[in-house]
């Protein structure tokens, strides 16, 4: 099947900002994305609410429980990206051409000690840090860069 005939994988993501207006990023352990940093995100389970999925991903990937997050906004629309040809058929068992991502912006109400990269088994990230929102697009894998540029443009005024 051609990539155009494949669906997009439903995904939810979270731009988590601290009290100083900096954004959480984690460095991926995944060999295909090693050296790149991203915000928490992952698949939406069948029948799952997108907001619930985004908050679940925060808990699963970085150990941040929902009560430690004040949701500020949901993205104005789903953001799409296509996988590059070298990854098509290799990730997600070849079922998807890319992702349809539903993004949320939220304020982190906890302390850095509340972030636990070991919360997920196996861990998704090997390192994390807080960064200026404008730096996000240059840290993400190139095929997701346009999504991150749009997210920064939409969410930055709300941070």
């Amino acid at each position: 099947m051609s990539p155009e005939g494949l669906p997009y994988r439903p995904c939810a993501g979270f731009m988590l900002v601290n009290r100083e207006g900096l954004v959480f990023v984690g460095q991926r352990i995944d060999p295909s994305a090693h050296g790149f940093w991203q915000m928490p995100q992952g698949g939406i389970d069948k029948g799952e609410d997108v907001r619930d999925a985004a908050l679940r991903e925060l808990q699963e990937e970085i150990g941040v429980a929902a009560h430690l997050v004040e949701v500020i906004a949901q993205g104005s629309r789903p953001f799409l990206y296509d996988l590059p040809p070298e990854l098509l058929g290799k990730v997600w068992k070849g079922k998807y051409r890319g992702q349809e991502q539903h993004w949320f912006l939220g304020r982190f109400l906890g302390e850095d000690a509340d972030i636990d990269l070991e919360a997920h088994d196996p861990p998704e990230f090997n390192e994390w840090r807080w960064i200026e929102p404008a730096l996000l697009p240059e840290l993400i894998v190139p095929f997701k860069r346009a999504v991150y540029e749009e997210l920064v443009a939409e969410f930055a005024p709300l941070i």
Side-chain angles (χ1 to χ4, degrees):
M1 177 182 283
S2 73
E4 293 78 24
L6 293 172
Y8 286 96
R9 177 179 182 249
C11 173
F14 217 98
M15 182 184 285
L16 187 67
V17 296
N18 67 11
R19 291 171 183 88
E20 290 77 42
L22 301 175
V23 178
F24 174 95
V25 291
Q27 185 177 46
R28 300 265 317 166
I29 291 175
D30 175 4
S32 68
H34 184 70
F36 292 104
W37 298 71
Q38 72 176 43
M39 295 180 286
Q41 55 106 84
I44 300 171
D45 296 334
K46 188 173 177 110
E48 187 177 27
D49 175 77
V50 294
R51 178 184 165 127
D52 292 344
L55 289 167
R56 175 181 52 74
E57 288 296 330
L58 280 179
Q59 174 72 51
E60 288 179 3
E61 293 189 358
I62 65 172
V64 172
H67 73 276
L68 294 176
V69 179
E70 173 194 357
V71 178
I72 297 169
Q74 179 175 356
S76 60
R77 61 181 175 76
F79 297 87
L80 301 176
Y81 75 82
D82 290 326
L83 290 169
E86 65 272 14
L87 293 179
L88 269 173
K90 294 181 181 155
V91 297
W92 308 309
K93 300 177 184 168
K95 295 180 187 176
Y96 303 102
R97 68 186 283 182
Q99 290 197 96
E100 176 183 278
Q101 297 186 318
H102 300 264
W103 283 93
F104 291 82
L105 171 66
R107 177 103 35 225
F108 180 49
L109 305 175
E111 303 299 326
D112 285 0
D114 295 317
I115 295 172
D116 177 13
L117 300 185
E118 301 291 322
H120 193 272
D121 187 21
E124 301 254 341
F125 304 117
N126 61 10
E127 206 176 315
W128 70 273
R129 61 184 168 162
W130 298 106
I131 65 163
E132 292 290 338
L135 298 177
L136 282 167
E138 64 191 61
L139 297 177
I140 189 68
V141 291
F143 60 90
K144 293 183 185 179
R145 190 162 291 145
V147 169
Y148 271 40
E149 288 169 348
E150 292 177 59
L151 284 171
V152 169
E154 184 167 329
F155 286 159
L158 304 173
I159 295 174

